[in-house]
């Protein structure tokens, strides 16, 4: 689902369960239940495909890729 909020993503992310949600990038927080596929994207980045499909590409930068893999237990 898509929500509109007046709070910053930092404020929202600090108030939700970090076991269920991950701050993918500056624009997106993704739910672990929405992740369908994780694909290598470029050198060290990752691309996430969600179910239902996201309107925009969700990329995890190389700086967060290892943290994301640990979060998923990969």
């Amino acid at each position: 689902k898509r929500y509109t909020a007046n709070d910053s993503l930092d404020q929202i992310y600090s108030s939700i369960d970090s076991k269920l949600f991950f701050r993918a990038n500056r624009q997106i927080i993704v739910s672990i239940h929405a992740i369908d596929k994780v694909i290598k994207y470029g050198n060290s980045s990752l691309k996430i495909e969600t179910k239902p499909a996201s309107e925009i590409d969700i990329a995890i930068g190389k700086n967060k890729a290892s943290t994301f893999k640990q979060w998923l237990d990969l």
Side-chain angles (χ1 to χ4, degrees), residues 13-67:
Y13 188 63
S14 67
S15 66
I16 57 178
D17 188 354
S18 62
K19 293 178 185 171
L20 300 176
F21 296 93
F22 186 82
R23 177 83 183 260
N25 55 42
R26 291 160 66 186
Q27 296 124 356
I28 296 174
I29 296 172
V30 66
S31 168
I32 196 166
H33 300 296
I35 297 171
D36 188 38
K37 289 183 184 176
V38 179
I39 303 165
K40 283 190 175 187
Y41 185 68
N43 289 340
S44 303
S45 300
L46 302 170
K47 183 177 176 183
I48 300 172
E49 291 186 4
T50 59
K51 210 171 208 177
S54 174
E55 296 172 3
I56 59 174
D57 287 339
I58 302 173
I60 305 285
K62 62 182 178 180
N63 295 337
K64 284 190 170 185
S66 63
T67 306

